[in-house]
Amino acid sequence: MGEAVLETAARTALHTSFVSLRFPNVIKGEKWDSMPWPAPTADKPLPMLMWAYAHEDDVVEAHVNAVTLGDVASKSGHHETYIIAAPDTRFAAPTMELLDVCVGKGVVDASLPGRASILSSAKAIQRLGVRPRSWAGTAQPGCSLHPIKGNAAVLAARADPNLEHFSLDGFKLDSGLSLGPGATLAYRVYGAPPDESAGRGLILHPTSFDAVHTEVDEEVGPGKMLDIDRYCVVVMNMLGNGVSFSPSTSPMYPPARSSYPSLITVGDNVRAQAAALHERFGTNKRCKVGEGSDCAAGRDLIRPPRLSLIYGYSMGALQALEWAVRFPDAVARVAAVCGTARCAPINDCFLLSLEAALCADPAWHATSDNGAGYFESTPSKGLKAFARIYSGWGIGSKWYEDDVFKHFGFESAESFIRDSYEATLMRSDRVRHQFLEVP
């Protein structure tokens, strides 16, 4: 009844957004250790809604996010409903076995692996940024992990009320895997729309490794390097950066060995960006990202708007150069800063050293002699080693020789590495992946 009222209100209060939050049985913190509960039986079947649950802190977090995220939670004149439930049931027994016992074998036409919940919080995870807790505290097949939320920059970027999302449902990666519901490419548009007749062009700025769109604000604005008085600027969040499709935002792909993409390419990013621009700024031909093997990639299927400039730094530079190759007629100029069209041998050496640091962690489980394997838990020691190696490559020698870090509030090089590189990368979607698989 309440949601019907809000649906009606949304049709008239066009400047107000409405959100409904649905929770199953809320478990207080002091009762958390009482789970798992005894499993229901044929003689004592528990109503299936009682199988689902939520931690009381998830209730609070969902309410806070729904209020603070603004248009991300619900646009003005719209009503959105979210389910917030733990990724599993209250019971230790597999869900399908319980359904067979309580409902009848084969009666339920579903496939719920492990202890997976009968309710899905996919929409809330993607849009509200919540990550419901599990009583088990560890991953179960088909269940998401309790919370992998990302660092402070990621959280701030997700909360940007001007953030827009392009659906990647059905988007086929170069690896052959197709993304599912909830996968999106997140981006922000700065300034008025492009208008070729008025000489107002379009600039694209893809983000770099572990960066988010809000971290490039100093480069975008009136009179700034990317001048929105003269151009419309679009900043795209790279896939896997914690704002676009990532381990922490993608409930349909929990970081399990067989289900999360082991590889997302520069080409994947460029094809997704082209499709998003194609839809956002309009052409006379609409593209569905799941259509055909090369939709959002084929030049005959998509007509991205012409770019006055594509600017990218580091991995953003790789995307800029890929754009010029893949869509040469759509790119007038490329500014590729600190990036090359092909990785040099020294860069291979650097990347392999990072991989070696991660795989030296006790959590690493090798499955073959050719380097394939996965992490059985978060590789905390490996991530710290990863961060320290990166700190020597990511910033020039003058940073350390001239104590530049002191101007940014760090007392020593050690405190800078610990509180900057280690703290950030330990919470990074790009490297903190509970079940990371290396092919």
Side-chain angles (χ1 to χ4, degrees):
M1 179 64 179
E3 291 181 6
V5 171
L6 293 181
E7 285 287 345
T8 302
R11 290 194 291 268
T12 56
L14 301 181
H15 299 292
T16 304
S17 58
F18 300 87
V19 174
S20 296
L21 301 178
R22 290 185 176 185
F23 303 93
N25 306 279
V26 178
I27 307 297
K28 296 185 70 64
E30 59 266 27
K31 297 291 186 180
W32 196 247
D33 292 338
S34 67
M35 290 183 289
W37 282 15
T41 64
D43 295 333
K44 296 182 178 180
L46 194 67
M48 283 202 294
L49 189 58
M50 295 291 290
W51 295 16
Y53 68 101
H55 192 286
E56 63 176 344
D57 290 347
D58 292 328
V59 175
V60 175
E61 181 180 344
H63 279 89
V64 171
N65 287 9
V67 172
T68 58
L69 290 178
D71 284 353
V72 175
S74 180
K75 293 183 178 180
S76 296
H78 289 75
H79 169 236
E80 297 286 350
T81 300
Y82 297 92
I83 295 174
I84 293 88
D88 52 4
T89 70
R90 307 185 194 210
F91 318 116
T95 303
M96 291 306 297
E97 290 184 10
L98 292 176
L99 289 171
D100 288 345
V101 170
C102 298
V103 182
K105 194 171 182 63
V107 173
V108 178
D109 183 16
S111 178
L112 298 172
R115 297 184 293 97
S117 176
I118 60 172
L119 299 179
S120 172
S121 299
K123 182 180 176 182
I125 294 171
Q126 176 66 29
R127 298 275 296 276
L128 299 184
V130 298
R131 198 73 175 181
R133 294 159 174 77
S134 163
W135 63 264
T138 57
Q140 296 293 321
C143 298
S144 303
L145 280 175
H146 148 132
I148 304 175
K149 294 186 178 178
N151 55 43
V154 167
L155 295 178
R158 289 181 189 169
D160 183 352
N162 296 306
L163 192 66
E164 298 183 41
H165 290 269
F166 173 69
S167 174
L168 294 177
D169 184 7
F171 184 84
K172 190 172 183 179
L173 300 173
D174 287 338
S175 65
L177 180 67
S178 293
L179 303 184
T184 69
L185 177 69
Y187 64 94
R188 178 170 174 179
V189 178
Y190 296 80
D195 184 352
E196 290 187 2
S197 64
R200 182 177 179 79
L202 178 63
I203 293 177
L204 176 63
H205 182 0
T207 60
S208 57
F209 171 79
D210 208 40
V212 297
H213 72 280
T214 47
E215 293 178 305
V216 302
D217 280 349
E218 293 184 0
E219 303 167 355
V220 183
K224 294 186 177 181
M225 182 179 75
L226 303 181
D227 189 354
I228 63 174
D229 284 339
R230 300 174 57 198
Y231 299 94
C232 173
V233 179
V234 179
V235 181
M236 293 280 186
N237 286 281
M238 188 164 62
L239 298 175
N241 77 339
V243 184
S244 289
F245 172 77
S246 306
S248 70
T249 67
S250 307
M252 304 310 293
Y253 293 94
R257 295 189 294 277
S258 61
S259 60
Y260 193 85
S262 58
L263 178 67
I264 294 178
T265 67
V266 171
D268 290 330
N269 279 276
V270 170
R271 290 189 296 112
Q273 292 162 13
L277 291 178
H278 176 98
E279 178 177 274
R280 177 62 168 79
F281 294 102
T283 61
N284 57 10
K285 190 172 184 179
R286 186 177 177 84
C287 176
K288 295 180 180 179
V289 297
E291 183 181 87
S293 61
D294 265 341
C295 185
R299 297 182 182 90
D300 294 332
L301 288 174
I302 191 170
R303 297 286 188 270
R306 183 163 175 79
L307 302 175
S308 300
L309 170 71
I310 177 167
Y311 167 83
Y313 167 77
S314 190
M315 288 187 75
L318 302 186
Q319 296 168 69
L321 294 169
E322 178 70 16
W323 256 94
V325 172
R326 194 174 293 267
F327 300 106
D329 295 336
V331 180
R333 304 172 188 83
V334 172
V337 180
C338 193
T340 62
R342 186 169 296 173
C343 288
I346 187 64
N347 194 250
D348 287 337
C349 177
F350 164 56
L351 295 174
L352 289 172
S353 70
L354 296 174
E355 180 181 296
L358 289 173
C359 294
D361 191 283
W364 173 250
H365 178 77
T367 56
S368 69
D369 294 333
N370 65 0
Y374 61 91
F375 292 106
E376 295 178 325
S377 60
T378 302
S380 300
K381 293 181 179 178
L383 285 170
K384 288 184 177 181
F386 181 108
R388 289 186 173 269
I389 294 172
Y390 216 112
S391 69
W393 287 78
I395 298 180
S397 60
K398 290 295 184 181
W399 178 270
Y400 298 101
E401 293 171 359
D402 297 342
D403 294 343
V404 178
F405 49 80
K406 290 184 177 179
H407 297 290
F408 292 84
F410 298 99
E411 295 180 356
S412 63
E414 171 63 25
S415 66
F416 163 69
I417 295 170
R418 181 187 65 244
D419 298 333
S420 178
Y421 270 88
E422 282 189 9
T424 299
L425 290 173
M426 284 292 288
R427 296 182 62 80
S428 167
D429 269 278
R430 300 293 295 178
V431 292
R432 187 186 185 276
H433 196 304
Q434 181 82 2
F435 288 99
L436 179 67
E437 180 178 25
V438 177

